[in-house]
Structures are given as structure tokens and as C-alpha cells.
Amino acid sequence: MYTKIFRAVIIGAPGSGKGTISELICKNHGCVHISTGDILRQNIIKNTELGRKAKEFIAAGKLVPDSIVTKTMLARITEVGNRSYILDGFPRNIAQAQALEAREQIDAVITLDIPHDVIIDRVKHRWIHAPSGRVYNIGFQDPKVPGKDDVTGEPLTQREDDKPHVVARRLELYDELMSPVIAWYKEKGLVATFKGKETKEIWPRMELFLRDRMNA
Ligand code: G5P
Ligand code: MG
């Protein structure tokens, strides 16, 4: 457990393992995983006004407009209150980063640097339980029963935006929009980069980093 509140942002290309690593961090160190994509997908399932607005953008691999996302994410951070958290998928451009900075003091920005060919291969095998955000991967993180969520037994689905042409669009958009965001956070001395091809190879280094920061 953290001895002080730890607020981190995790940045990485689509399929780089942000969700997987955030879950590991929160399970091992007690924090709240705030995933923009999960929140948006849950709203799509519930057919809320936010979900209806976000749906087409997500399916096309485009960003949902800042006005909608920023408001939603800042409200979620307020709900989380005085607890450690990992922000996964927000901010996604400079405007969102500035809106976050105006509201919150971020302690660290964790970036995942995974080769694009590894990512393209991974997302083909990704299955999710959309209502909870639980993520599986055939051959890496298999469900106990094929095609079924471990906790609810409900059917797993593939993400609309994991179709190869949409993944290619998302990867391009990531490079274009996130390079300036990472540079902006680097100037502030907040960035820790983790490079590798597999989560299990990155995780021990991440643990050392977190232990160091926990006691800082
Ligand atoms: P999301 O949902 O934020 P992305 O594109 O940022 O989507 P994504 O696809 O969710 O990121 P991830 O979380 O980085 O990827 O990766 P993951 O799910 O943990 O891992 C990918 C797969 O690899 C999983 O199946 C996992 O099990 C497996 N895996 C992990 N490690 C390994 C390993 O070592 N080996 C193997 N073999 N497999 C592994 O955003 C979606 C959309 O929402 C909108 C946008 O439209 C966006 O495209 N959106 C926003 N719009 C505006 N502003 C924002 N801030 C927005 N945030 C989201
Ligand atoms: Mg994710």
C-alpha cells in the first residue's frame, strides 16, 4: 500500500498493456484504476447520452471530443476523492493534459514503449467483458472457460475498434497526438519509460519504480 497518495498517468499506444499493467498496479499497491475507454464502453452498453455520443468516434478509431471526455474524467476523479489512482487513457492530447494540470497534481507519468508489430499481433487475440472492463488474451491471459468471463460467466466480445484497419488508425493517431504530450510531461520531469515486448518483462522494473516512489 502507498504510504502517501500517488496519482499517476499511464500512457502507451493502443494495446500496449495500459489496462493490464494498471490492474496489476492497483491489485498490488491499492489504488483506483480509472480507464477512460472502460468508462466510455460501459456508457455505450448502457446506452446513456454519453455512450450514444461516443460510439461512432470509438468505432472509427477517432478521439471522442474533448468537451465530453474532459468533463467526464474530471467528474470521475472527483468521485475517487482522496485516494491513489492510475489514469489510463486520459489525457490524450495537450488540451486534456492542460485541463488535468489545472485540477490535479500528478506525481508520475508512466509510459509504455512496446513495438507496434507486437501490438498488432496482440489485439487480434484480445477478448473483453465490456460491462466490467476485464480483458483477456488468447494464449496470454486465457479465460478459465473459453469465451466466458471468469467472474460472471457472461460471454466475451471483441472490441469494435480492434478491427485491423481501425487499429492502424489508432496507432497513427497515438503517435501524432501523444508525442507532444509525452514531451510536455518530460519537461516537467515526470516521465518514467518502460520498454519491452512483454508485460512480464516490464513488471519487475515497474515494481522497483513503484516501491521507490511509494516511500519517496
Ligand atoms: P482505450 O480503451 O483507452 P487504447 O487504444 O488506449 O484504448 P487499449 O486498446 O485499451 O488502449 P491497453 O489498455 O494499452 O490497450 O492494452 P491492454 O488491453 O492492457 O492489452 C492489450 C491486449 O494485450 C490484451 O488482450 C492483454 O490481455 C494483452 N496483453 C497484455 N500484455 C501482454 C503480453 O505480455 N503478452 C501478450 N501476448 N498479450 C498481452 O480507448 C478506446 C477509444 O476510446 C476513446 C477513443 O476513441 C479511443 O480510441 N477514448 C478517448 N477519446 C478522447 N479522449 C480520451 N481521453 C479518450 N480515451 C479513450
Ligand atoms: Mg485499455
PDB file of all heavy atoms in Angstrom, residues 13-20 36-37 40-41 58 62-64 69 89-90 92 96 122 126 135-137 140-141 159 161 170 198-199, ligand 1:
ATOM      1  N   ALA A  13       0.623   3.202 -26.479  1.00  0.00           N
ATOM      2  CA  ALA A  13      -0.186   3.019 -27.681  1.00  0.00           C
ATOM      3  C   ALA A  13      -1.353   2.075 -27.394  1.00  0.00           C
ATOM      4  O   ALA A  13      -1.333   1.337 -26.404  1.00  0.00           O
ATOM      5  CB  ALA A  13       0.704   2.452 -28.783  1.00  0.00           C
ATOM      6  N   PRO A  14      -2.351   2.061 -28.271  1.00  0.00           N
ATOM      7  CA  PRO A  14      -3.442   1.093 -28.134  1.00  0.00           C
ATOM      8  C   PRO A  14      -2.872  -0.316 -28.063  1.00  0.00           C
ATOM      9  O   PRO A  14      -2.033  -0.681 -28.904  1.00  0.00           O
ATOM     10  CB  PRO A  14      -4.235   1.252 -29.439  1.00  0.00           C
ATOM     11  CG  PRO A  14      -3.751   2.483 -30.086  1.00  0.00           C
ATOM     12  CD  PRO A  14      -2.481   2.899 -29.454  1.00  0.00           C
ATOM     13  N   GLY A  15      -3.293  -1.093 -27.094  1.00  0.00           N
ATOM     14  CA  GLY A  15      -2.817  -2.472 -26.990  1.00  0.00           C
ATOM     15  C   GLY A  15      -1.448  -2.617 -26.344  1.00  0.00           C
ATOM     16  O   GLY A  15      -0.905  -3.719 -26.271  1.00  0.00           O
ATOM     17  N   SER A  16      -0.890  -1.532 -25.835  1.00  0.00           N
ATOM     18  CA  SER A  16       0.453  -1.604 -25.239  1.00  0.00           C
ATOM     19  C   SER A  16       0.427  -2.257 -23.855  1.00  0.00           C
ATOM     20  O   SER A  16       1.479  -2.605 -23.316  1.00  0.00           O
ATOM     21  CB  SER A  16       1.079  -0.211 -25.140  1.00  0.00           C
ATOM     22  OG  SER A  16       0.259   0.620 -24.360  1.00  0.00           O
ATOM     23  N   GLY A  17      -0.772  -2.387 -23.270  1.00  0.00           N
ATOM     24  CA  GLY A  17      -0.867  -3.047 -21.962  1.00  0.00           C
ATOM     25  C   GLY A  17      -1.186  -2.079 -20.824  1.00  0.00           C
ATOM     26  O   GLY A  17      -1.011  -2.431 -19.658  1.00  0.00           O
ATOM     27  N   LYS A  18      -1.693  -0.900 -21.150  1.00  0.00           N
ATOM     28  CA  LYS A  18      -2.026   0.078 -20.093  1.00  0.00           C
ATOM     29  C   LYS A  18      -3.033  -0.510 -19.115  1.00  0.00           C
ATOM     30  O   LYS A  18      -2.866  -0.398 -17.899  1.00  0.00           O
ATOM     31  CB  LYS A  18      -2.632   1.364 -20.693  1.00  0.00           C
ATOM     32  CG  LYS A  18      -1.738   2.102 -21.628  1.00  0.00           C
ATOM     33  CD  LYS A  18      -2.404   3.371 -22.135  1.00  0.00           C
ATOM     34  CE  LYS A  18      -3.635   3.124 -22.982  1.00  0.00           C
ATOM     35  NZ  LYS A  18      -3.374   2.416 -24.241  1.00  0.00           N
ATOM     36  N   GLY A  19      -4.088  -1.111 -19.659  1.00  0.00           N
ATOM     37  CA  GLY A  19      -5.134  -1.671 -18.806  1.00  0.00           C
ATOM     38  C   GLY A  19      -4.593  -2.815 -17.961  1.00  0.00           C
ATOM     39  O   GLY A  19      -4.837  -2.888 -16.753  1.00  0.00           O
ATOM     40  N   THR A  20      -3.824  -3.707 -18.605  1.00  0.00           N
ATOM     41  CA  THR A  20      -3.282  -4.882 -17.907  1.00  0.00           C
ATOM     42  C   THR A  20      -2.361  -4.446 -16.770  1.00  0.00           C
ATOM     43  O   THR A  20      -2.472  -4.931 -15.634  1.00  0.00           O
ATOM     44  CB  THR A  20      -2.496  -5.749 -18.925  1.00  0.00           C
ATOM     45  OG1 THR A  20      -3.364  -6.057 -20.021  1.00  0.00           O
ATOM     46  CG2 THR A  20      -1.977  -7.023 -18.299  1.00  0.00           C
ATOM     47  N   THR A  36     -10.450   5.556 -19.143  1.00  0.00           N
ATOM     48  CA  THR A  36     -11.385   6.316 -19.981  1.00  0.00           C
ATOM     49  C   THR A  36     -12.135   5.384 -20.928  1.00  0.00           C
ATOM     50  O   THR A  36     -13.358   5.489 -21.069  1.00  0.00           O
ATOM     51  CB  THR A  36     -10.620   7.356 -20.832  1.00  0.00           C
ATOM     52  OG1 THR A  36      -9.641   7.952 -20.016  1.00  0.00           O
ATOM     53  CG2 THR A  36     -11.542   8.410 -21.374  1.00  0.00           C
ATOM     54  N   GLY A  37     -11.380   4.486 -21.582  1.00  0.00           N
ATOM     55  CA  GLY A  37     -12.010   3.586 -22.550  1.00  0.00           C
ATOM     56  C   GLY A  37     -13.075   2.726 -21.884  1.00  0.00           C
ATOM     57  O   GLY A  37     -14.173   2.544 -22.431  1.00  0.00           O
ATOM     58  N   LEU A  40     -16.153   4.813 -21.192  1.00  0.00           N
ATOM     59  CA  LEU A  40     -16.914   5.085 -22.424  1.00  0.00           C
ATOM     60  C   LEU A  40     -17.652   3.827 -22.896  1.00  0.00           C
ATOM     61  O   LEU A  40     -18.835   3.889 -23.256  1.00  0.00           O
ATOM     62  CB  LEU A  40     -15.975   5.611 -23.518  1.00  0.00           C
ATOM     63  CG  LEU A  40     -15.339   6.985 -23.242  1.00  0.00           C
ATOM     64  CD1 LEU A  40     -14.287   7.320 -24.303  1.00  0.00           C
ATOM     65  CD2 LEU A  40     -16.395   8.086 -23.196  1.00  0.00           C
ATOM     66  N   ARG A  41     -16.958   2.673 -22.873  1.00  0.00           N
ATOM     67  CA  ARG A  41     -17.612   1.428 -23.331  1.00  0.00           C
ATOM     68  C   ARG A  41     -18.789   1.040 -22.426  1.00  0.00           C
ATOM     69  O   ARG A  41     -19.820   0.571 -22.908  1.00  0.00           O
ATOM     70  CB  ARG A  41     -16.590   0.281 -23.408  1.00  0.00           C
ATOM     71  CG  ARG A  41     -15.713   0.353 -24.665  1.00  0.00           C
ATOM     72  CD  ARG A  41     -14.785  -0.833 -24.785  1.00  0.00           C
ATOM     73  NE  ARG A  41     -13.713  -0.797 -23.805  1.00  0.00           N
ATOM     74  CZ  ARG A  41     -12.566  -0.108 -23.950  1.00  0.00           C
ATOM     75  NH1 ARG A  41     -12.345   0.594 -25.042  1.00  0.00           N
ATOM     76  NH2 ARG A  41     -11.651  -0.119 -23.013  1.00  0.00           N
ATOM     77  N   ILE A  58     -15.490   6.143 -31.381  1.00  0.00           N
ATOM     78  CA  ILE A  58     -14.699   4.991 -30.954  1.00  0.00           C
ATOM     79  C   ILE A  58     -14.618   3.958 -32.072  1.00  0.00           C
ATOM     80  O   ILE A  58     -13.540   3.478 -32.403  1.00  0.00           O
ATOM     81  CB  ILE A  58     -15.283   4.377 -29.664  1.00  0.00           C
ATOM     82  CG1 ILE A  58     -15.118   5.369 -28.522  1.00  0.00           C
ATOM     83  CG2 ILE A  58     -14.607   3.045 -29.328  1.00  0.00           C
ATOM     84  CD1 ILE A  58     -15.613   4.903 -27.186  1.00  0.00           C
ATOM     85  N   LYS A  62     -11.373   7.269 -33.809  1.00  0.00           N
ATOM     86  CA  LYS A  62     -11.109   8.708 -33.606  1.00  0.00           C
ATOM     87  C   LYS A  62     -11.268   9.048 -32.132  1.00  0.00           C
ATOM     88  O   LYS A  62     -11.918   8.310 -31.390  1.00  0.00           O
ATOM     89  CB  LYS A  62     -12.133   9.534 -34.392  1.00  0.00           C
ATOM     90  CG  LYS A  62     -12.008   9.389 -35.884  1.00  0.00           C
ATOM     91  CD  LYS A  62     -13.059  10.260 -36.538  1.00  0.00           C
ATOM     92  CE  LYS A  62     -13.030  10.087 -38.034  1.00  0.00           C
ATOM     93  NZ  LYS A  62     -14.252  10.573 -38.670  1.00  0.00           N
ATOM     94  N   LEU A  63     -10.739  10.215 -31.752  1.00  0.00           N
ATOM     95  CA  LEU A  63     -10.946  10.632 -30.359  1.00  0.00           C
ATOM     96  C   LEU A  63     -12.370  11.152 -30.178  1.00  0.00           C
ATOM     97  O   LEU A  63     -12.912  11.811 -31.059  1.00  0.00           O
ATOM     98  CB  LEU A  63      -9.985  11.755 -29.972  1.00  0.00           C
ATOM     99  CG  LEU A  63      -8.520  11.415 -29.766  1.00  0.00           C
ATOM    100  CD1 LEU A  63      -7.827  12.543 -29.015  1.00  0.00           C
ATOM    101  CD2 LEU A  63      -8.320  10.101 -29.014  1.00  0.00           C
ATOM    102  N   VAL A  64     -12.927  10.853 -29.030  1.00  0.00           N
ATOM    103  CA  VAL A  64     -14.208  11.440 -28.635  1.00  0.00           C
ATOM    104  C   VAL A  64     -13.901  12.907 -28.299  1.00  0.00           C
ATOM    105  O   VAL A  64     -12.831  13.198 -27.739  1.00  0.00           O
ATOM    106  CB  VAL A  64     -14.761  10.659 -27.411  1.00  0.00           C
ATOM    107  CG1 VAL A  64     -16.051  11.260 -26.909  1.00  0.00           C
ATOM    108  CG2 VAL A  64     -14.941   9.173 -27.770  1.00  0.00           C
ATOM    109  N   VAL A  69     -15.181  14.285 -23.000  1.00  0.00           N
ATOM    110  CA  VAL A  69     -14.298  13.401 -22.235  1.00  0.00           C
ATOM    111  C   VAL A  69     -13.741  14.097 -20.989  1.00  0.00           C
ATOM    112  O   VAL A  69     -13.729  13.524 -19.900  1.00  0.00           O
ATOM    113  CB  VAL A  69     -13.138  12.898 -23.127  1.00  0.00           C
ATOM    114  CG1 VAL A  69     -12.105  12.162 -22.317  1.00  0.00           C
ATOM    115  CG2 VAL A  69     -13.669  12.006 -24.229  1.00  0.00           C
ATOM    116  N   GLY A  89      -5.635   6.316 -20.264  1.00  0.00           N
ATOM    117  CA  GLY A  89      -6.377   6.813 -21.436  1.00  0.00           C
ATOM    118  C   GLY A  89      -6.755   8.279 -21.345  1.00  0.00           C
ATOM    119  O   GLY A  89      -7.470   8.793 -22.206  1.00  0.00           O
ATOM    120  N   PHE A  90      -6.314   8.944 -20.325  1.00  0.00           N
ATOM    121  CA  PHE A  90      -6.556  10.379 -20.163  1.00  0.00           C
ATOM    122  C   PHE A  90      -5.353  10.969 -19.449  1.00  0.00           C
ATOM    123  O   PHE A  90      -4.934  10.402 -18.435  1.00  0.00           O
ATOM    124  CB  PHE A  90      -7.822  10.611 -19.335  1.00  0.00           C
ATOM    125  CG  PHE A  90      -8.175  12.076 -19.164  1.00  0.00           C
ATOM    126  CD1 PHE A  90      -8.878  12.754 -20.149  1.00  0.00           C
ATOM    127  CD2 PHE A  90      -7.784  12.772 -18.025  1.00  0.00           C
ATOM    128  CE1 PHE A  90      -9.202  14.098 -19.992  1.00  0.00           C
ATOM    129  CE2 PHE A  90      -8.106  14.110 -17.868  1.00  0.00           C
ATOM    130  CZ  PHE A  90      -8.818  14.772 -18.853  1.00  0.00           C
ATOM    131  N   ARG A  92      -5.228  12.612 -23.496  1.00  0.00           N
ATOM    132  CA  ARG A  92      -4.980  12.026 -24.801  1.00  0.00           C
ATOM    133  C   ARG A  92      -4.520  13.076 -25.802  1.00  0.00           C
ATOM    134  O   ARG A  92      -4.313  12.791 -26.955  1.00  0.00           O
ATOM    135  CB  ARG A  92      -6.297  11.451 -25.289  1.00  0.00           C
ATOM    136  CG  ARG A  92      -6.136  10.320 -26.229  1.00  0.00           C
ATOM    137  CD  ARG A  92      -6.411   9.055 -25.515  1.00  0.00           C
ATOM    138  NE  ARG A  92      -6.479   7.936 -26.391  1.00  0.00           N
ATOM    139  CZ  ARG A  92      -6.754   6.714 -25.964  1.00  0.00           C
ATOM    140  NH1 ARG A  92      -6.984   6.507 -24.695  1.00  0.00           N
ATOM    141  NH2 ARG A  92      -6.779   5.728 -26.793  1.00  0.00           N
ATOM    142  N   GLN A  96      -6.291  18.196 -23.143  1.00  0.00           N
ATOM    143  CA  GLN A  96      -6.723  17.386 -21.986  1.00  0.00           C
ATOM    144  C   GLN A  96      -5.658  17.417 -20.885  1.00  0.00           C
ATOM    145  O   GLN A  96      -5.985  17.468 -19.700  1.00  0.00           O
ATOM    146  CB  GLN A  96      -6.997  15.940 -22.415  1.00  0.00           C
ATOM    147  CG  GLN A  96      -8.201  15.803 -23.346  1.00  0.00           C
ATOM    148  CD  GLN A  96      -8.507  14.357 -23.724  1.00  0.00           C
ATOM    149  OE1 GLN A  96      -7.948  13.422 -23.177  1.00  0.00           O
ATOM    150  NE2 GLN A  96      -9.415  14.182 -24.677  1.00  0.00           N
ATOM    151  N   ARG A 122      -1.086  -8.710 -30.761  1.00  0.00           N
ATOM    152  CA  ARG A 122      -1.836  -8.893 -29.505  1.00  0.00           C
ATOM    153  C   ARG A 122      -3.323  -8.606 -29.641  1.00  0.00           C
ATOM    154  O   ARG A 122      -4.144  -9.343 -29.133  1.00  0.00           O
ATOM    155  CB  ARG A 122      -1.351  -7.864 -28.484  1.00  0.00           C
ATOM    156  CG  ARG A 122      -0.264  -8.315 -27.628  1.00  0.00           C
ATOM    157  CD  ARG A 122      -0.026  -7.197 -26.668  1.00  0.00           C
ATOM    158  NE  ARG A 122       1.259  -7.355 -26.050  1.00  0.00           N
ATOM    159  CZ  ARG A 122       1.747  -6.512 -25.169  1.00  0.00           C
ATOM    160  NH1 ARG A 122       1.058  -5.440 -24.836  1.00  0.00           N
ATOM    161  NH2 ARG A 122       2.918  -6.721 -24.640  1.00  0.00           N
ATOM    162  N   ARG A 126      -7.377 -10.256 -28.458  1.00  0.00           N
ATOM    163  CA  ARG A 126      -7.991  -9.668 -27.252  1.00  0.00           C
ATOM    164  C   ARG A 126      -9.495  -9.931 -27.226  1.00  0.00           C
ATOM    165  O   ARG A 126     -10.198  -9.709 -28.195  1.00  0.00           O
ATOM    166  CB  ARG A 126      -7.744  -8.157 -27.221  1.00  0.00           C
ATOM    167  CG  ARG A 126      -8.564  -7.466 -26.124  1.00  0.00           C
ATOM    168  CD  ARG A 126      -8.040  -6.119 -25.733  1.00  0.00           C
ATOM    169  NE  ARG A 126      -7.944  -5.171 -26.823  1.00  0.00           N
ATOM    170  CZ  ARG A 126      -7.382  -3.974 -26.695  1.00  0.00           C
ATOM    171  NH1 ARG A 126      -6.893  -3.591 -25.537  1.00  0.00           N
ATOM    172  NH2 ARG A 126      -7.326  -3.155 -27.721  1.00  0.00           N
ATOM    173  N   VAL A 135     -10.148  -7.824 -19.209  1.00  0.00           N
ATOM    174  CA  VAL A 135      -9.521  -8.074 -20.502  1.00  0.00           C
ATOM    175  C   VAL A 135      -8.837  -9.434 -20.496  1.00  0.00           C
ATOM    176  O   VAL A 135      -8.179  -9.805 -19.530  1.00  0.00           O
ATOM    177  CB  VAL A 135      -8.461  -6.987 -20.804  1.00  0.00           C
ATOM    178  CG1 VAL A 135      -7.785  -7.256 -22.142  1.00  0.00           C
ATOM    179  CG2 VAL A 135      -9.084  -5.612 -20.824  1.00  0.00           C
ATOM    180  N   TYR A 136      -8.981 -10.163 -21.602  1.00  0.00           N
ATOM    181  CA  TYR A 136      -8.330 -11.471 -21.758  1.00  0.00           C
ATOM    182  C   TYR A 136      -7.519 -11.452 -23.051  1.00  0.00           C
ATOM    183  O   TYR A 136      -7.693 -10.579 -23.899  1.00  0.00           O
ATOM    184  CB  TYR A 136      -9.389 -12.580 -21.833  1.00  0.00           C
ATOM    185  CG  TYR A 136     -10.266 -12.627 -20.605  1.00  0.00           C
ATOM    186  CD1 TYR A 136     -11.429 -11.859 -20.524  1.00  0.00           C
ATOM    187  CD2 TYR A 136      -9.924 -13.421 -19.519  1.00  0.00           C
ATOM    188  CE1 TYR A 136     -12.231 -11.882 -19.389  1.00  0.00           C
ATOM    189  CE2 TYR A 136     -10.715 -13.453 -18.382  1.00  0.00           C
ATOM    190  CZ  TYR A 136     -11.873 -12.681 -18.315  1.00  0.00           C
ATOM    191  OH  TYR A 136     -12.659 -12.696 -17.190  1.00  0.00           O
ATOM    192  N   ASN A 137      -6.651 -12.444 -23.180  1.00  0.00           N
ATOM    193  CA  ASN A 137      -5.910 -12.572 -24.423  1.00  0.00           C
ATOM    194  C   ASN A 137      -5.599 -14.048 -24.625  1.00  0.00           C
ATOM    195  O   ASN A 137      -5.009 -14.677 -23.752  1.00  0.00           O
ATOM    196  CB  ASN A 137      -4.625 -11.738 -24.350  1.00  0.00           C
ATOM    197  CG  ASN A 137      -4.067 -11.486 -25.728  1.00  0.00           C
ATOM    198  OD1 ASN A 137      -3.406 -12.339 -26.286  1.00  0.00           O
ATOM    199  ND2 ASN A 137      -4.361 -10.330 -26.279  1.00  0.00           N
ATOM    200  N   PHE A 140      -2.248 -15.691 -23.633  1.00  0.00           N
ATOM    201  CA  PHE A 140      -1.517 -14.896 -22.638  1.00  0.00           C
ATOM    202  C   PHE A 140      -2.295 -14.852 -21.332  1.00  0.00           C
ATOM    203  O   PHE A 140      -1.784 -15.148 -20.262  1.00  0.00           O
ATOM    204  CB  PHE A 140      -1.256 -13.481 -23.169  1.00  0.00           C
ATOM    205  CG  PHE A 140      -0.799 -12.501 -22.114  1.00  0.00           C
ATOM    206  CD1 PHE A 140       0.462 -12.597 -21.549  1.00  0.00           C
ATOM    207  CD2 PHE A 140      -1.648 -11.488 -21.680  1.00  0.00           C
ATOM    208  CE1 PHE A 140       0.877 -11.699 -20.567  1.00  0.00           C
ATOM    209  CE2 PHE A 140      -1.244 -10.589 -20.703  1.00  0.00           C
ATOM    210  CZ  PHE A 140       0.027 -10.695 -20.148  1.00  0.00           C
ATOM    211  N   GLN A 141      -3.552 -14.496 -21.437  1.00  0.00           N
ATOM    212  CA  GLN A 141      -4.397 -14.374 -20.251  1.00  0.00           C
ATOM    213  C   GLN A 141      -5.739 -14.989 -20.620  1.00  0.00           C
ATOM    214  O   GLN A 141      -6.718 -14.280 -20.863  1.00  0.00           O
ATOM    215  CB  GLN A 141      -4.551 -12.882 -19.941  1.00  0.00           C
ATOM    216  CG  GLN A 141      -4.837 -12.562 -18.517  1.00  0.00           C
ATOM    217  CD  GLN A 141      -4.624 -11.074 -18.254  1.00  0.00           C
ATOM    218  OE1 GLN A 141      -4.717 -10.234 -19.156  1.00  0.00           O
ATOM    219  NE2 GLN A 141      -4.354 -10.731 -17.021  1.00  0.00           N
ATOM    220  N   ARG A 159     -13.560  -6.047 -29.334  1.00  0.00           N
ATOM    221  CA  ARG A 159     -13.848  -4.625 -29.437  1.00  0.00           C
ATOM    222  C   ARG A 159     -14.022  -4.220 -30.892  1.00  0.00           C
ATOM    223  O   ARG A 159     -13.265  -4.643 -31.752  1.00  0.00           O
ATOM    224  CB  ARG A 159     -12.714  -3.806 -28.793  1.00  0.00           C
ATOM    225  CG  ARG A 159     -12.885  -3.689 -27.303  1.00  0.00           C
ATOM    226  CD  ARG A 159     -11.699  -3.099 -26.597  1.00  0.00           C
ATOM    227  NE  ARG A 159     -11.114  -1.921 -27.198  1.00  0.00           N
ATOM    228  CZ  ARG A 159     -10.180  -1.184 -26.605  1.00  0.00           C
ATOM    229  NH1 ARG A 159      -9.760  -1.513 -25.387  1.00  0.00           N
ATOM    230  NH2 ARG A 159      -9.664  -0.135 -27.206  1.00  0.00           N
ATOM    231  N   ASP A 161     -13.286  -1.516 -32.171  1.00  0.00           N
ATOM    232  CA  ASP A 161     -12.113  -0.776 -32.676  1.00  0.00           C
ATOM    233  C   ASP A 161     -10.847  -1.640 -32.718  1.00  0.00           C
ATOM    234  O   ASP A 161      -9.763  -1.126 -32.926  1.00  0.00           O
ATOM    235  CB  ASP A 161     -11.883   0.515 -31.873  1.00  0.00           C
ATOM    236  CG  ASP A 161     -11.653   0.283 -30.385  1.00  0.00           C
ATOM    237  OD1 ASP A 161     -11.846  -0.844 -29.913  1.00  0.00           O
ATOM    238  OD2 ASP A 161     -11.270   1.246 -29.699  1.00  0.00           O
ATOM    239  N   ARG A 170      -5.725   4.014 -35.064  1.00  0.00           N
ATOM    240  CA  ARG A 170      -5.490   4.387 -33.658  1.00  0.00           C
ATOM    241  C   ARG A 170      -3.997   4.530 -33.378  1.00  0.00           C
ATOM    242  O   ARG A 170      -3.588   5.412 -32.632  1.00  0.00           O
ATOM    243  CB  ARG A 170      -6.107   3.334 -32.717  1.00  0.00           C
ATOM    244  CG  ARG A 170      -7.636   3.398 -32.678  1.00  0.00           C
ATOM    245  CD  ARG A 170      -8.243   2.108 -32.145  1.00  0.00           C
ATOM    246  NE  ARG A 170      -7.866   1.835 -30.785  1.00  0.00           N
ATOM    247  CZ  ARG A 170      -7.815   0.615 -30.259  1.00  0.00           C
ATOM    248  NH1 ARG A 170      -8.091  -0.443 -30.978  1.00  0.00           N
ATOM    249  NH2 ARG A 170      -7.476   0.470 -28.989  1.00  0.00           N
ATOM    250  N   GLU A 198       6.991  -7.677 -23.568  1.00  0.00           N
ATOM    251  CA  GLU A 198       6.025  -8.436 -22.777  1.00  0.00           C
ATOM    252  C   GLU A 198       5.799  -7.804 -21.408  1.00  0.00           C
ATOM    253  O   GLU A 198       6.735  -7.287 -20.786  1.00  0.00           O
ATOM    254  CB  GLU A 198       6.528  -9.859 -22.572  1.00  0.00           C
ATOM    255  CG  GLU A 198       6.466 -10.666 -23.853  1.00  0.00           C
ATOM    256  CD  GLU A 198       6.734 -12.120 -23.582  1.00  0.00           C
ATOM    257  OE1 GLU A 198       5.931 -12.733 -22.840  1.00  0.00           O
ATOM    258  OE2 GLU A 198       7.745 -12.604 -24.081  1.00  0.00           O
ATOM    259  N   THR A 199       4.579  -7.906 -20.950  1.00  0.00           N
ATOM    260  CA  THR A 199       4.218  -7.358 -19.646  1.00  0.00           C
ATOM    261  C   THR A 199       5.062  -7.996 -18.535  1.00  0.00           C
ATOM    262  O   THR A 199       5.511  -7.308 -17.625  1.00  0.00           O
ATOM    263  CB  THR A 199       2.710  -7.575 -19.417  1.00  0.00           C
ATOM    264  OG1 THR A 199       2.015  -6.831 -20.423  1.00  0.00           O
ATOM    265  CG2 THR A 199       2.262  -7.128 -18.053  1.00  0.00           C
TER     266      THR A 199
HETATM  267  P1  G5P B   1      -8.922   2.963 -24.850  1.00  0.00           P
HETATM  268  O1  G5P B   1      -9.858   1.952 -24.360  1.00  0.00           O
HETATM  269  O2  G5P B   1      -8.167   3.808 -23.904  1.00  0.00           O
HETATM  270  P2  G5P B   1      -6.418   2.389 -26.124  1.00  0.00           P
HETATM  271  O3  G5P B   1      -6.406   2.373 -27.599  1.00  0.00           O
HETATM  272  O4  G5P B   1      -5.680   3.494 -25.492  1.00  0.00           O
HETATM  273  O5  G5P B   1      -7.930   2.217 -25.826  1.00  0.00           O
HETATM  274  P3  G5P B   1      -6.286  -0.256 -25.321  1.00  0.00           P
HETATM  275  O6  G5P B   1      -6.604  -0.766 -26.698  1.00  0.00           O
HETATM  276  O7  G5P B   1      -7.326  -0.357 -24.271  1.00  0.00           O
HETATM  277  O8  G5P B   1      -5.757   1.180 -25.440  1.00  0.00           O
HETATM  278  P4  G5P B   1      -4.257  -1.140 -23.490  1.00  0.00           P
HETATM  279  O9  G5P B   1      -5.168  -0.865 -22.358  1.00  0.00           O
HETATM  280  O10 G5P B   1      -2.995  -0.358 -23.586  1.00  0.00           O
HETATM  281  O11 G5P B   1      -4.982  -1.045 -24.892  1.00  0.00           O
HETATM  282  O12 G5P B   1      -3.852  -2.652 -23.530  1.00  0.00           O
HETATM  283  P5  G5P B   1      -4.449  -3.933 -22.738  1.00  0.00           P
HETATM  284  O13 G5P B   1      -5.894  -4.097 -23.010  1.00  0.00           O
HETATM  285  O14 G5P B   1      -3.967  -3.941 -21.343  1.00  0.00           O
HETATM  286  O15 G5P B   1      -3.620  -5.070 -23.516  1.00  0.00           O
HETATM  287  C1  G5P B   1      -3.909  -5.336 -24.872  1.00  0.00           C
HETATM  288  C2  G5P B   1      -4.080  -6.853 -25.047  1.00  0.00           C
HETATM  289  O16 G5P B   1      -2.803  -7.457 -24.899  1.00  0.00           O
HETATM  290  C3  G5P B   1      -4.985  -7.508 -24.001  1.00  0.00           C
HETATM  291  O17 G5P B   1      -5.718  -8.559 -24.620  1.00  0.00           O
HETATM  292  C4  G5P B   1      -3.997  -8.076 -22.962  1.00  0.00           C
HETATM  293  O18 G5P B   1      -4.527  -9.232 -22.299  1.00  0.00           O
HETATM  294  C5  G5P B   1      -2.833  -8.444 -23.876  1.00  0.00           C
HETATM  295  N1  G5P B   1      -1.505  -8.417 -23.254  1.00  0.00           N
HETATM  296  C6  G5P B   1      -1.006  -7.592 -22.298  1.00  0.00           C
HETATM  297  N2  G5P B   1       0.280  -7.895 -22.018  1.00  0.00           N
HETATM  298  C7  G5P B   1       0.605  -8.941 -22.842  1.00  0.00           C
HETATM  299  C8  G5P B   1       1.792  -9.722 -23.043  1.00  0.00           C
HETATM  300  O19 G5P B   1       2.830  -9.519 -22.404  1.00  0.00           O
HETATM  301  N3  G5P B   1       1.732 -10.702 -23.981  1.00  0.00           N
HETATM  302  C9  G5P B   1       0.607 -10.955 -24.696  1.00  0.00           C
HETATM  303  N4  G5P B   1       0.624 -11.933 -25.599  1.00  0.00           N
HETATM  304  N5  G5P B   1      -0.537 -10.250 -24.543  1.00  0.00           N
HETATM  305  C10 G5P B   1      -0.533  -9.263 -23.628  1.00  0.00           C
HETATM  306  O20 G5P B   1      -9.652   3.936 -25.855  1.00  0.00           O
HETATM  307  C11 G5P B   1     -10.528   3.447 -26.818  1.00  0.00           C
HETATM  308  C12 G5P B   1     -11.159   4.597 -27.560  1.00  0.00           C
HETATM  309  O21 G5P B   1     -11.915   5.407 -26.643  1.00  0.00           O
HETATM  310  C13 G5P B   1     -11.796   6.779 -26.976  1.00  0.00           C
HETATM  311  C14 G5P B   1     -11.061   6.835 -28.306  1.00  0.00           C
HETATM  312  O22 G5P B   1     -11.993   6.725 -29.342  1.00  0.00           O
HETATM  313  C15 G5P B   1     -10.197   5.581 -28.225  1.00  0.00           C
HETATM  314  O23 G5P B   1      -9.761   5.130 -29.497  1.00  0.00           O
HETATM  315  N6  G5P B   1     -11.060   7.481 -25.930  1.00  0.00           N
HETATM  316  C16 G5P B   1     -10.884   8.814 -25.875  1.00  0.00           C
HETATM  317  N7  G5P B   1     -11.273   9.804 -26.699  1.00  0.00           N
HETATM  318  C17 G5P B   1     -10.914  11.067 -26.359  1.00  0.00           C
HETATM  319  N8  G5P B   1     -10.180  11.367 -25.267  1.00  0.00           N
HETATM  320  C18 G5P B   1      -9.761  10.388 -24.408  1.00  0.00           C
HETATM  321  N9  G5P B   1      -9.040  10.706 -23.318  1.00  0.00           N
HETATM  322  C19 G5P B   1     -10.117   9.040 -24.710  1.00  0.00           C
HETATM  323  N10 G5P B   1      -9.872   7.848 -24.097  1.00  0.00           N
HETATM  324  C20 G5P B   1     -10.445   6.917 -24.859  1.00  0.00           C
END
